[in-house]
Amino acid sequence: MQLSPAPLSAPARTVVEAMFKTKAPAVIQYERGERKAYFRTVSNREKPVDPMAIDELVRCGIVSDQQDGLFAGTGQTYAPRQHAVLKIKLGVTRTDKATGARYRQAEVITTAGSYGCEVCIRKSKDAEQLDGPATHEAIRQRIAEVQPTLGGA
């Protein structure tokens, strides 16, 4: 599975992490005109989740509809298609003495484990250095360029 660089909200990260942990798909059902979402835990209990979080995961392409006909038009089952970034931990900074460029190491925690990378936060001595959110965006852009495959096919 590939790694999606999409930034996720806290409820969406919780849902996708639980889906990978339990290896169970998320389900959206319609009961009396109301949308309800849940996934089955390891002990086969239904744990409710926010339906908007699943919608966000679908928009990002991390999960997709299984189209299994399980609920015959009354609901959908969503299974993971890609791994998701749960957290980005910034590490040490190193400076290239010759050019003055600065590089920041980062640990990207995903649903398949950790992934280490390094991004350039300053091209030269004269250039301006990236701040925290810009560094996170540079890491996500690097992930999108490299498209690492994690956790098997």
Side-chain angles (χ1 to χ4, degrees), residues 63-130:
V63 299
S64 63
D65 193 351
Q66 284 188 326
Q67 299 290 335
D68 57 3
L70 182 64
F71 297 106
T74 60
Q76 291 127 338
T77 305
Y78 293 94
R81 274 182 358 146
Q82 294 182 334
H83 287 290
V85 174
L86 300 176
K87 189 174 185 178
I88 297 174
K89 287 184 179 179
L90 297 177
V92 297
T93 304
R94 72 173 180 84
T95 304
D96 185 356
K97 301 279 190 219
T99 61
R102 297 193 79 178
Y103 297 92
R104 187 90 187 245
Q105 292 181 352
E107 180 184 10
V108 181
I109 300 170
T110 69
T111 52
S114 294
Y115 168 71
C117 70
E118 186 176 69
V119 292
C120 181
I121 58 171
R122 185 175 76 183
K123 301 264 187 221
S124 67
K125 284 183 180 177
D126 304 330
E128 208 168 296
Q129 186 168 314
L130 298 177

Side-chain angles (χ1 to χ4, degrees), residues 3-4 18 21 35-36 39 43 45 75 77-78 106 118 139:
L3 176 62
S4 170
K21 187 186 253 183
R35 288 178 80 209
K36 296 192 178 192
F39 67 91
S43 60
R45 291 194 179 127
T77 305
Y78 293 94
E118 186 176 69
I139 291 168

Side-chain angles (χ1 to χ4, degrees), residues 7 22 57 70 80 103 109 147 150 152:
T22 61
L57 293 173
L70 182 64
Y103 297 92
I109 300 170
Q147 294 204 345
L150 301 170

